[in-house]
Amino acid sequence: MHSQILLQVSDFLQVCVALVSRQAARAIILWAVYLLAPAASGKMGGFHRRRFGRPPEFMTKLNADRFQLANAVRALSMDAVERAASGHPGMPMGMADIVEVLFNDYHKHNPANPDWWDRDRFVVSNGHGSMLLYSVLHLSGYDLPMKELENFRQLHSATPGHPEFADTPGVETTTGPLGQGLANAVGMALAEKLLAARFNTDEHTVIDHRTWVFAGDGCLMEGISHEACSLAGTFGLGKLVVFYDDNQISIDGDTDGWFTDNTPARFRAYGWRVIEDVDGHSPEAISAAIDQAIAADDRPVLICCKTTIGFGAPNKAGTADVHGAALGEKEIAAARKQLGWPHEPFVIPDHIRAGWDARERGAETERRWQKVWKAYSSANPALARELEERMNGGLPADFDSLADDVLAHMQADDSTVATRKASEMSLEAFGPHLPALIGGSADLSGSNNTRWSGSVDARENPREGNYIYYGVREFGMTAIVNGLHLHGGFIAYSGTFLVFSDYARNAVRMSALIPAGTIHVYTHDSIGLGEDGPTHQPVEHLTSLRLIPGLSVWRPADKVETAAAWAAAIARRDKPTALVLTRQGLPHQPRSSAQLDLIRRGGYVLAEPADGPIDVLIMASGSEVGLAVEAAASLAEEGVGARVVSMPNPDLFLAQDERYRNEVLPTDVTARVAVEAGVSLYWHQFVGNCGQIIGIDRFGASAPAADLFREFGFSTKAVIEAARKTLAETA
Ligand SMILES: Cc1ncc(C[n+]2csc(CCOP(=O)(O)OP(=O)(O)O)c2C)c(N)n1
Ligand SMILES: [Mg+2]
């Protein structure tokens, strides 16, 4: 009986071996044909693949299951784009095999809890490939039902054209402006490194995750990729792994015409590890590359994946046609045939679904972590509490009363200081209470006053570090700050001159769009910086920052308003703030405790006529508030009653209720003057038809600040004249 069974088993095994070896022999022959045929016709293998977009047959046979898992991403992406009649099928079809291997074999996440702190971060920096992200989130079990994919790019769907943070569970950041996702990811990887250094103990590891990035030719062409990746090398962010979608295609066609860098050499020069020439359609090659990438090493990793854009579309793959347009019915039908994907649009067979489903695995992974967290918490209660508070974005319970104390303290000191210095004083006051605070500057620490006595270099000392020397990289810095915020655990601020906010501008816009509770410190805020001249003197920047929806822009008039601005910025954990500060000293303004309280409303009455009615309203921000106060005093001597309204944050003032606004700016007082050392445009809404604006609608000049203010009409005399003029016009 036993021997009979053994015989049958041995027969069975022999048949298996024969089958497998036949299969293997067939694969080897096909492989040779695949490689040699294009060579014989003078074409490289990659070129061949790129042009024909056809999977080598051996691959589809040996990796049939994996290939079909990846095809689910391809099909969902091409069908969603087709239905929306808009979108980008090329990247998802090209990177499907990579994302399949990454998500199914490596990515640490729990679809049921996208906020789990110790999850790996996955950033699609080439955000036009959003359908790849939505497909894998849906397939792996996030709360993103198929109907959302069917509604790709439609109003109020969870699947916007480019990924938007907070719109879709599992989306780690808003991407689309090429290169910025990559820089955000550098911020996330930096956050992980610093938190791991601070909180992990010899016994317990509670922070240990990777940041995976997909990036295309566009991301790597963008200058910000240089800024961010260069810094990532310097910081030794070994858990950052970037998959470069090396498909040699961007919108205008073959990148041979505009992108011929030696990318591997470039990244090696940054201090990265580079894994070159990975076949981005071979699961084995991708796995081998990832295995290499995750070996312990301090260097970030770039995996250069040779891919075919639009892989699987028989006529369009490998061409720019497939980058950003629906494939069309005929090509989609042909692609279904090519890929061996007979299923209807938005239908995923059960076995494919099962292959992607990460819910059980994810829950188990998080459960294991929870156990470690519990043990860690009982062994290190103080550290655990700090980490928990930081990751939850909380502030110290007594923060409001701390802010009140700081303001009262500042009010009691009547010295003249520059608001950049007042900003440093504010950091000294708040910093010791905020372990999450992490600052930095783009090589202007001493000028921006962003460094305070508690600042510790984060590169030299990751464990205690809370200060980053970003080097001269304003755009990279700002996007990295967004990434630090998005990761969680930090209240992140940046620093540079206001005039260079332009260099960073799209990342500031992204701070507001994400939205991220970041703080951007901009000093040297007007012609008041003096001799450096018009290249360094911002004119339009203040107003142009105010145009960004959701960005809170403060331009404080003295140290008290500066402290109030910092307090508001710190408390604003979910939206960004810009602090616009002077180089030059500003006089201290007296205030009652009621007035102290009103600063937080963005605009308030700072000085009133001693007696008699209000004849004229004088509004000002920052360095011009002092002028307004002096002018009002002179006007009083002429018998003109002037009210001075300090407007450190006019948008915030506009957001107050109507009653308050009308109290501060009574509608019946139409004689109005606004003074601000920037373009005048913004103030028309406040001064009305008969008002006067003292602004600067041209570039400044190189000279001492006092001469410039005089030259451009920022003097008590000019304010008095403007008041007389508006009074005459409204008489
Ligand atoms: C900063 C920025 N500039 C321009 C664009 C418009 N744009 C979107 S995708 C793209 C080409 C990107 O090429 P690549 O990264 O190679 O993407 P692929 O075509 O390979 O998917 C361009 C220019 C953008 N999204 N962001
Ligand atoms: Mg490309």
Side-chain angles (χ1 to χ4, degrees):
M1 178 69 182
H2 270 146
S3 63
Q4 221 172 6
I5 290 174
L6 275 178
L7 213 70
Q8 277 177 7
V9 169
S10 115
D11 280 349
F12 175 69
L13 285 176
Q14 269 179 27
V15 171
C16 286
V17 167
L19 274 175
V20 167
S21 55
R22 239 199 345 255
Q23 184 92 337
R26 203 172 117 80
I28 288 165
I29 290 165
L30 281 166
W31 184 61
V33 169
Y34 168 69
L35 283 184
L36 293 178
S41 63
K43 291 170 179 168
M44 301 297 290
F47 182 89
H48 175 74
R49 217 173 34 242
R50 182 146 61 83
R51 290 294 171 238
F52 294 92
R54 194 172 303 139
E57 197 181 337
F58 82 93
M59 198 182 94
T60 61
K61 296 283 187 242
L62 292 185
N63 299 297
D65 293 346
R66 301 216 82 140
F67 188 52
Q68 285 304 318
L69 291 175
N71 284 342
V73 173
R74 293 190 170 95
L76 286 172
S77 300
M78 69 183 184
D79 290 334
V81 171
E82 192 68 18
R83 174 159 304 187
S86 110
H88 303 76
M91 177 286 217
M93 296 177 80
M95 296 195 84
D97 300 297
I98 306 170
V99 82
E100 188 278 310
V101 173
L102 177 63
F103 262 62
N104 289 324
D105 288 355
Y106 296 93
H107 189 41
K108 180 172 83 167
H109 64 139
N110 178 8
N113 183 10
D115 297 327
W116 172 34
W117 310 336
D118 201 36
R119 70 190 182 279
D120 287 351
R121 285 5 181 220
F122 176 56
V123 174
V124 177
S125 187
N126 40 359
H128 54 277
S130 56
M131 264 314 302
L132 169 135
L133 180 52
Y134 302 145
S135 301
V136 297
L137 292 176
H138 167 79
L139 290 166
S140 53
Y142 283 78
D143 180 17
L144 187 65
M146 187 65 97
K147 72 171 185 337
E148 295 292 349
L149 275 61
E150 292 174 37
N151 270 333
F152 178 49
R153 294 188 155 224
Q154 305 309 304
L155 198 61
H156 305 312
S157 75
T159 49
H162 292 81
E164 291 184 38
F165 179 74
D167 270 19
T168 319
V171 169
E172 300 283 0
T173 179
T174 302
T175 55
L178 296 171
Q180 276 192 72
L182 176 54
N184 294 161
V186 170
M188 293 176 192
L190 178 56
E192 194 272 352
K193 182 179 170 118
L194 300 182
L195 291 174
R198 165 138 189 84
F199 290 101
N200 289 342
T201 61
D202 289 343
E203 292 75 32
H204 302 108
T205 299
V206 285
I207 299 285
D208 180 17
H209 49 266
R210 293 179 197 285
T211 305
W212 311 104
V213 186
F214 279 12
D217 299 300
C219 292
L220 299 195
M221 278 187 260
E222 285 291 351
I224 191 173
S225 69
H226 166 71
E227 296 185 17
C229 294
S230 151
L231 202 63
T234 301
F235 266 90
L237 304 180
K239 287 193 203 154
L240 175 67
V241 180
V242 178
F243 296 83
Y244 165 34
D245 185 26
D246 184 6
N247 61 17
Q248 281 213 18
I249 289 288
S250 64
I251 290 179
D252 281 349
D254 196 315
T255 54
D256 276 351
W258 46 88
F259 187 37
T260 56
D261 302 2
N262 182 338
T263 297
R266 173 187 161 199
F267 276 77
R268 283 196 185 103
Y270 294 152
W272 286 47
R273 274 197 296 152
V274 179
I275 304 169
E276 277 185 71
D277 277 328
V278 174
D279 181 343
H281 299 298
S282 155
E284 287 84 3
I286 299 161
S287 286
I290 301 178
D291 286 340
Q292 234 179 303
I294 60 180
D297 195 303
D298 279 347
R299 291 168 295 173
V301 182
L302 183 75
I303 305 180
C304 300
C305 303
K306 295 278 178 208
T307 63
T308 302
I309 190 169
F311 188 102
N315 306 300
K316 295 189 174 178
T319 73
D321 288 353
V322 79
H323 161 90
L327 296 181
E329 228 172 86
K330 245 173 83 185
E331 183 72 353
I332 285 195
R336 282 198 142 67
K337 225 164 163 188
Q338 177 95 64
L339 296 168
W341 184 267
H343 319 291
E344 289 296 305
F346 305 108
V347 172
I348 303 291
D350 287 348
H351 69 285
I352 299 286
R353 239 177 225 297
W356 273 101
D357 193 340
R359 285 174 296 186
E360 215 169 286
R361 201 170 63 232
E364 178 51 32
T365 313
E366 187 182 342
R367 250 195 311 276
R368 258 183 277 128
W369 178 87
Q370 289 288 0
K371 268 192 200 155
V372 178
W373 171 248
K374 220 169 143 193
Y376 174 86
S377 305
S378 51
N380 314 278
L383 275 178
R385 205 172 320 114
E386 182 191 327
L387 178 56
E388 193 158 23
E389 275 173 19
R390 286 175 59 169
M391 290 306 292
N392 291 337
L395 291 177
D398 55 354
F399 184 73
D400 286 347
S401 67
L402 170 69
D404 289 345
D405 289 352
V406 171
L407 259 69
H409 182 76
M410 296 266 197
Q411 187 62 55
D413 164 11
D414 65 0
S415 60
T416 291
V417 293
T419 49
R420 63 176 169 145
K421 180 71 188 164
S423 169
E424 185 186 329
M425 291 159 71
S426 305
L427 284 167
E428 293 289 356
F430 294 120
H433 304 270
L434 300 171
L437 196 66
I438 187 162
S441 164
D443 206 38
L444 287 168
S445 296
S447 302
N448 299 147
N449 296 68
T450 37
R451 203 172 31 198
W452 57 287
S453 63
S455 293
V456 176
D457 182 346
R459 196 186 64 82
E460 269 180 15
N461 182 354
R463 192 181 166 84
E464 306 294 330
N466 63 358
Y467 196 82
I468 296 163
Y469 291 96
Y470 286 101
V472 193
R473 300 181 178 96
E474 294 82 9
F475 192 12
M477 165 179 69
T478 309
I480 288 171
V481 161
N482 287 341
L484 286 167
H485 172 89
L486 284 162
H487 179 279
F490 292 99
I491 300 172
Y493 66 94
S494 68
T496 187
F497 288 155
L498 178 59
V499 80
F500 300 133
S501 63
D502 276 351
Y503 271 58
R505 187 171 173 91
N506 200 266
V508 181
R509 181 176 193 270
M510 295 304 285
S511 291
L513 178 57
I514 287 170
T518 50
I519 303 168
H520 307 289
V521 175
Y522 296 129
T523 67
H524 297 59
D525 73 342
S526 75
I527 51 169
L529 66 86
E531 293 85 345
D532 272 343
T535 55
H536 284 51
Q537 291 162 355
V539 173
E540 74 281 25
H541 298 73
L542 176 58
T543 285
S544 98
L545 287 174
R546 287 172 178 150
L547 297 179
I548 297 178
L551 177 69
S552 184
V553 183
W554 287 89
R555 185 173 186 248
D558 67 357
K559 65 175 124 25
V560 183
E561 286 189 7
T562 307
W566 259 109
I570 290 165
R572 197 173 144 90
R573 282 302 72 241
D574 56 352
K575 287 190 184 127
T577 301
L579 302 175
V580 175
L581 309 168
T582 62
R583 172 184 184 232
Q584 72 277 21
L586 299 185
H588 175 79
Q589 301 297 337
R591 289 176 191 83
S592 66
S593 62
Q595 283 173 310
L596 258 189
D597 232 29
L598 292 173
I599 300 174
R600 74 188 66 181
R601 292 189 167 229
Y604 63 100
V605 177
L606 182 65
E608 285 284 52
D611 46 47
I614 301 161
D615 301 314
V616 60
L617 295 170
I618 307 178
M619 293 162 251
S621 83
S623 48
E624 286 64 65
V625 169
L627 274 185
V629 171
E630 281 173 22
S634 297
L635 286 164
E637 287 168 19
E638 296 176 20
V640 176
R643 165 183 278 189
V644 176
V645 174
S646 179
M647 283 273 200
N649 189 333
D651 279 329
L652 188 54
F653 173 73
L654 287 173
Q656 304 301 311
D657 59 73
E658 197 178 352
R659 219 184 91 196
Y660 178 73
R661 280 185 278 124
N662 290 342
E663 256 170 46
V664 176
L665 303 177
T667 46
D668 58 338
V669 184
T670 52
R672 296 177 175 206
V673 178
V675 202
E676 186 175 80
V679 293
S680 56
L681 179 77
Y682 185 78
W683 290 95
H684 287 280
Q685 62 188 321
F686 292 104
V687 298
N689 289 340
C690 303
Q692 292 290 311
I693 302 168
I694 302 175
I696 171 166
D697 292 304
R698 49 154 289 178
F699 291 123
S702 173
D707 295 349
L708 291 171
F709 277 124
R710 222 178 4 259
E711 174 77 9
F712 292 111
F714 293 92
S715 62
T716 321
K717 198 169 139 238
V719 179
I720 293 167
E721 274 165 20
R724 287 191 191 127
K725 211 163 166 192
T726 186
L727 280 164
E729 284 196 21
T730 52

